[in-house]
Amino acid sequence: MDTNAPSLPPQGPLFDVVVVGGGINGCGIARDLAGRGARVLLVEQHDLAAHTSSASTKLIHGGLRYLEYGEFGLVRKALQEREVLLRAAPHLIQPLTFVMPHDPGMRPAWMIRIGLWLYDHLARRELLPASTALDLRQHPAGQPLRDGWTRAFAYADGWVDDARLVVLNALDAAQRGAVVAPRTRCTGLQRHAQHWMVTLQPDGGAPVTVRTRAVVNAAGPWAEQLLREHAGLPPRRHLRLVRGSHIVVPRLFAHDAAYLLQARDRRVIFAIPFEQRYTLVGTTDVEHHAGLDAVAIDADETAYLCAEVSRYFRRAITPDDVVWHYSGVRPLLDDEHGNPAAVTRDYRLELDTAGAPLLTVWGGKITTFRTLAEEAAQRLAAPLALRGAPWTRAAPLPGGDLERVVGPCATPMQALQRYRAHLQRRWPWLDAAVVHRWARAYGTLALDWLEPARGPHDLGRQVAPGLFEAELQHLHRREWARDADDVLWRRTKLGLHLEAAQRTAVADWLQRLPPPDKPLAPLERGAGCH
C-alpha cells in the first residue's frame, strides 16, 4: 500500500476527525480512531516525530522515580502498558535491565527496597523479571564503575526506538484508511455547531480548507498556541514546557544492562547502551522559555550530564567526548510544582462540546500513548456516534506479527530471536549487521523488499554502508521520509555510523527522487472540499 496517495471520501462531512499533531499521541489517536471506522485526517507541521516524540530517553517504563512524588496511579498505568507494548511491537521494544548503584547519602536502602517492591507489584508481570540486589564487587555491572560503589539494585523495564514507534502508529492508521499528511500546517480552526472548517497549508502546495465533525488538538508543546491563535479559544489548562536533553558518548561499558544513576541534586540520570558502539546519557529537566522550532542543549546541561556520570564510571567523560546530542520540550501539565523534575508526567484529556467537538490532549508520556489514545477515542465515541469497540490492546503494530513467520513463541523476545535467525537463513548473503538492524527496525515489513530479492543486486545500489536503495524506497514511499534527517536521525540512527560524505550521498539520493504524491492533492484540486 502506498501511504502517500490515499483516496478521500467524495461527499458529506469530509472527515469525522482531524487530528493536529504528528507525535506519539496524535498518531496513536489517529490509529485508534481509524481502526474504529472513523474517517481521519492527521496533519503535522513538520516530519512525524520531529520534536518531543523523537527526543525521549527511549524507555517504555513505569517511571520508578515518580513513586517518590506519589504518582502511584501514573506508575501503575505505565507498568501495565510495558508488557502490552512488548507484545505489540516485539521488533521495536525490548526488555532492558537497569542497575542502580546505591548511594546511601541520597536515599536509604530501605526506601529503595520499598520503591522496588511497589514497582514489582503495582501491575501484573509475565515477561519481565522482579527486582533484585547486586554485589557490585562480584557482578559484571560493577567492573566499569569507580571504586567505592559496592552495592546496587537491579530491575527491568523496556527500551524503544521512539521515532519509529510514532511512524508505525501513523502507518497503521494509514493502512486502516486514515489520511496522513506530514509537513502540513494547521493555520485556522473555525467552529460551527455541527462541524469545523480547518484551514491547512501543505508545504509547497496551495492552502486547503476541509470540513470535519471533530478536531483533536494533539499539538504537544504547541497545544495552547493552537487554541489561542488558530481556534480563538482561551485554554482552560496550561502547559509547563520543560527541556530534556541527552548526549551520546563512546561506549562506557561492554555489557547489555543500563544504569540508573542518582545525581547530587536528587534527580536520576540514565546511561543506556545505544547503537552498539555508544552510550546514551540523559536527561535534564530545564524550564524552556525560548522558541520551539530550534530546541538545543546548552553548555550547562552538557557539563551537568558529564559531571554526574563521571562520578560513577572509571572512565570520566567531558563535553569533548560527545558525538551527538538531542533535546526536546516536554509539554507537561502545569501543576504549579516548583521543581521541574517533579511536575506530573500524567495526561489530561479535555473534551469541549460547546459546538462541534474539540478534544485537547494535555501532557502525557510515551509509555502511556496507547491508553491515552484509547481513552481519547472513547471520549469521542458518543458525540460522533462511533460504534467501534476498543481494539488496540491485542493488535500488533506494523511489522510486529513475527509469529506469522516463525510460528508460536513463548515470549516476544524469542519471536524476535527466531525471526532474525530466519532472515539470516533465508538470505545468507546479507550482512549480519544489516539483518539485525532490519529485524529490529522493521520486523516483517522488511519482507516487502526482501521476498523478491535473490541477491544483493535486487536491493539496488548501496547508497551508504548498510543502506540499500530498497530500504530508502520503502522509507520514502511508505513512511513519509523526505530528506536525510528523516532517514538518518529519526527512522534510523545511521547518522551516528556514517561519515559526512556518506550522509551527503544519502541526501543527494533522496533529492533526486521525483516529488511524491501529496496526501491532500485531491483537496488542492477542489474535490469534496465543501
Side-chain angles (χ1 to χ4, degrees), residues 490-503:
R490 282 186 286 278
R491 286 154 186 79
T492 78
K493 298 299 180 289
L494 288 173
L496 267 174
H497 304 284
L498 301 181
E499 298 176 357
Q502 295 165 338
R503 294 194 292 269

Side-chain angles (χ1 to χ4, degrees), residues 10-257:
Q11 61 187 5
L14 194 53
F15 296 102
D16 293 313
V17 183
V18 169
V19 180
V20 181
I24 187 59
N25 290 332
C27 291
I29 292 169
R31 174 194 182 223
D32 193 305
L33 287 167
R36 297 176 191 236
R39 294 169 295 181
V40 179
L41 167 62
L42 170 71
V43 297
E44 159 59 41
Q45 61 180 334
H46 300 123
D47 183 28
L48 300 173
H51 299 287
T52 306
S53 293
S54 61
S56 76
T57 312
K58 311 190 188 311
L59 300 180
I60 298 296
H61 66 144
L64 179 62
R65 70 186 179 95
Y66 305 143
L67 291 174
E68 195 168 18
Y69 301 115
E71 294 266 15
F72 298 106
L74 169 63
V75 174
R76 183 173 185 273
K77 182 163 49 181
L79 288 173
Q80 290 172 330
E81 279 299 285
R82 291 182 309 180
E83 299 200 4
V84 173
L85 296 178
L86 276 166
R87 297 181 190 279
H91 55 317
L92 208 61
I93 303 173
Q94 289 88 38
L96 183 61
T97 298
F98 290 83
V99 175
M100 180 169 46
H102 181 230
D103 184 344
M106 291 289 174
R107 295 166 178 87
W110 64 264
M111 180 184 292
I112 294 174
R113 284 198 192 97
I114 290 174
L116 289 172
W117 186 90
L118 287 170
Y119 209 67
D120 287 341
H121 292 89
L122 277 173
R124 182 179 178 182
R125 287 178 297 101
E126 294 181 349
L127 302 175
L128 299 176
S131 60
T132 187
L134 301 179
D135 182 349
L136 292 175
R137 294 166 297 186
Q138 306 294 327
H139 195 274
Q143 293 176 4
L145 299 178
R146 291 180 180 273
D147 294 338
W149 300 106
T150 60
R151 190 179 187 187
F153 299 91
Y155 67 96
D157 264 325
W159 182 93
V160 65
D161 186 326
D162 50 7
R164 288 210 56 77
L165 185 66
V166 174
V167 169
L168 292 186
N169 273 272
L171 182 57
D172 203 8
Q175 291 173 341
R176 297 174 189 276
V179 178
V180 178
R183 298 170 181 81
T184 301
R185 189 180 298 270
C186 176
T187 58
L189 292 166
Q190 185 179 4
R191 193 179 208 173
H192 300 271
Q194 300 297 324
H195 69 276
W196 290 86
M197 299 304 292
V198 182
T199 304
L200 304 172
Q201 179 58 65
D203 279 3
V208 178
T209 300
V210 302
R211 184 166 49 183
T212 180
R213 297 170 63 201
V215 169
V216 172
N217 174 9
W222 286 269
E224 281 195 63
Q225 180 182 339
L226 185 75
L227 291 176
R228 284 198 186 96
E229 297 182 7
H230 301 307
L233 297 172
R236 298 177 186 175
R237 298 180 183 272
H238 298 286
L239 292 174
R240 189 161 173 186
L241 302 182
V242 176
R243 185 172 69 249
S245 296
H246 298 76
I247 58 174
V248 176
V249 298
R251 189 170 63 182
L252 293 172
F253 45 90
H255 58 76
D256 293 331

Side-chain angles (χ1 to χ4, degrees), residues 359-371:
L359 181 73
T360 297
V361 179
W362 301 103
K365 62 196 296 281
I366 198 164
T367 304
T368 53
F369 85 88
R370 191 201 63 84
T371 54

Side-chain angles (χ1 to χ4, degrees), residues 1-6 48 167 170-171 174-175 180 182-183 442 445 448-450 452 458-459 468-483 486-487 491 509-510 513-519:
M1 175 180 175
D2 188 340
T3 57
N4 293 315
L48 300 173
V167 169
L171 182 57
Q175 291 173 341
V180 178
R183 298 170 181 81
Y442 301 101
L445 293 176
D448 289 353
W449 65 84
L450 274 174
D458 291 322
L459 299 176
F468 291 87
E469 288 181 314
E471 180 182 358
L472 284 168
Q473 291 283 6
H474 166 87
L475 292 171
H476 181 72
R477 285 200 295 250
R478 296 197 62 192
E479 295 194 9
W480 302 277
R482 295 293 171 266
D483 59 33
D486 298 349
V487 170
R491 286 154 186 79
W509 189 92
L510 289 165
L513 289 177
D517 292 333
K518 297 176 182 178

